[in-house]
Amino acid sequence: MKKNILVIYYSQTGQLEDIVRNIAKPFEAQKEEYDVTYYNIKLKEDFPFPWPGDVFFNTFPESYLQIPKEMLPPSEEVLSKKYDLILFGYQVWYLTPSIPIISFLKSSYAENILKDTPVVTISGTRNMWMLSQEKLKVYLRDLKAKLVGNIALVDRHDNYTSVLTILRWLTTGQKEKSGILPAAGISDEEIAGSVKYGEIIERHFKNNDFNSLQPDLVKNGAIEIRPFLVRVEKVGNKIFTVWSNLIIKKKEKRPLLIKFFKVYLMAAIWIISPVVLVLHLLTTPIFWFKRQKQKRYLQGINLK
């Protein structure tokens, strides 16, 4: 009897779709053993791509506060099966799983699909995914899903270069290299190479051995933890909490506050972030063991 594999994702640029389809290839290649179904989450009113600048920043408060939008129902094909494994691909918006992903997780469909089912989460991001994954872990726990693995592919360029390339990509649609700036996003080689993670997952799935799946994924490069960026995320979450609540509460001043937030965010990236980096480096000897412990935790799948 065939095993049912569900691939859930939401992808604006197509990058995450390429990643999850590559990871699913080892299952697709064995059609006599696996029936692979793809579920592309769709909203009733989708977000544009490329993003008009104002729309991108105006999405911030709802993104960070995890306010869902109305979504279209999954197809009958998706709803009619019980799945043996779910590959769950998601984007990160403003240090949080994207609005389409949150909309699915808060829908009436999520628990029926995810309950009691092994789930491997897959993210494709600029570089900050760690605390977003912590938020996702809570949703999966509350929906009674079984998180068995996590893969996080990132842009390998430095933090400041990737800011410029991702903004160019999101607002103009240009991913390709131009001038002194490299191509945006995760490299084509790494996306193509992500099939190896699918092979690892398929092997563990076939052997009914999920206990050692995550260590195997980590050993093969599925997770990279940059302690400095964890610190930046923690600071960012505190700042975003203040800004998002202020913008939501002051509805009449929203357009003005969004403009102030845009200026503040750019200043934080280019001025505050370097300060955080210097402080991080200076305190490395003091917090070495604490950061190593934190790194091991974030590489794993357990929830504190």
Side-chain angles (χ1 to χ4, degrees):
M1 186 175 179
K2 287 186 179 182
K3 299 290 187 180
N4 291 323
I5 313 297
L6 178 64
V7 183
I8 300 175
Y9 66 97
Y10 174 84
S11 180
Q12 281 181 299
T13 65
Q15 176 179 260
L16 186 62
E17 182 175 5
D18 289 342
I19 291 169
V20 296
R21 286 186 178 273
N22 270 285
I23 292 174
K25 277 183 178 179
F27 294 97
E28 291 271 21
Q30 301 181 61
K31 295 187 181 297
E32 71 284 355
E33 293 192 43
Y34 304 112
D35 185 5
V36 181
T37 302
Y38 290 88
Y39 170 34
N40 180 11
I41 295 169
K42 293 187 179 294
L43 299 179
K44 191 171 183 180
E45 183 181 348
D46 205 356
F47 292 94
F49 183 80
W51 289 85
D54 291 342
V55 176
F56 175 73
F57 289 102
N58 198 45
T59 304
F60 157 68
E62 285 77 13
S63 294
Y64 185 74
L65 295 175
Q66 301 164 52
I67 298 172
K69 292 188 69 174
E70 188 175 354
M71 58 176 285
L72 297 175
S75 68
E76 281 303 315
E77 180 189 12
V78 170
L79 295 174
S80 63
K81 299 176 185 176
K82 174 60 183 171
Y83 296 96
D84 299 286
L85 176 68
I86 293 175
L87 304 180
F88 192 100
Y90 76 101
Q91 296 174 310
V92 175
W93 294 2
Y94 293 105
L95 307 180
T96 304
S98 69
I99 288 178
I101 292 296
I102 292 297
S103 300
F104 167 71
L105 292 171
K106 289 189 171 184
S107 74
S108 59
Y109 310 106
E111 185 170 354
N112 291 335
I113 293 172
L114 297 170
K115 185 178 180 181
D116 300 327
T117 306
V119 175
V120 176
T121 49
I122 303 164
S123 58
T125 65
R126 185 174 73 87
N127 57 22
M128 295 188 206
W129 59 268
M130 286 78 75
L131 299 189
S132 178
Q133 177 70 9
E134 292 301 291
K135 297 170 187 178
L136 183 55
K137 285 180 185 177
V138 174
Y139 279 102
L140 295 176
R141 179 201 64 194
D142 293 347
L143 291 166
K144 302 179 178 62
K146 300 175 182 177
L147 180 61
V148 297
N150 179 45
I151 299 165
L153 301 188
V154 299
D155 185 333
R156 300 292 180 181
H157 294 100
D158 68 84
N159 190 41
Y160 306 107
T161 298
S162 65
V163 167
L164 295 174
T165 57
I166 199 70
L167 284 175
R168 180 193 63 190
W169 189 15
L170 292 179
T171 57
T172 69
Q174 181 185 347
K175 181 180 181 181
E176 300 77 19
K177 176 182 178 181
S178 64
I180 62 172
L181 290 178
I186 300 158
S187 71
D188 292 340
E189 293 78 14
E190 191 156 358
I191 292 174
S194 64
V195 68
K196 70 179 179 180
Y197 302 126
E199 293 169 351
I200 293 169
I201 296 166
E202 194 276 332
R203 184 171 66 250
H204 282 264
F205 177 70
K206 184 173 287 184
N207 294 332
N208 195 27
D209 173 28
F210 285 127
N211 289 333
S212 58
L213 171 58
Q214 188 60 20
D216 205 357
L217 289 171
V218 171
K219 183 174 68 176
N220 284 275
I223 299 288
E224 179 191 23
I225 304 296
R226 305 182 201 179
F228 159 61
L229 293 178
V230 177
R231 181 60 187 161
V232 172
E233 281 198 60
K234 288 183 176 179
V235 173
N237 271 272
K238 291 178 181 178
I239 294 169
F240 282 5
T241 297
V242 174
W243 273 103
S244 58
N245 282 291
L246 178 64
I247 293 169
I248 289 292
K249 290 175 182 176
K250 302 288 185 179
K251 294 181 180 180
E252 71 284 357
K253 296 182 179 179
R254 179 173 178 131
L256 180 61
L257 289 171
I258 290 292
K259 289 180 181 178
F260 283 145
F261 169 72
K262 178 179 179 180
V263 172
Y264 179 86
L265 183 60
M266 293 298 103
I269 291 170
W270 297 104
I271 300 172
I272 299 176
S273 183
V275 174
V276 174
L277 175 58
V278 170
L279 292 175
H280 174 82
L281 294 173
L282 290 174
T283 56
T284 292
I286 301 172
F287 296 112
W288 173 260
F289 293 105
K290 181 179 179 181
R291 287 171 183 168
Q292 291 304 305
K293 182 179 179 181
Q294 179 186 62
K295 178 179 177 179
R296 288 191 295 273
Y297 168 74
L298 291 171
Q299 285 177 328
I301 55 174
N302 295 322
L303 182 63
K304 285 182 179 178

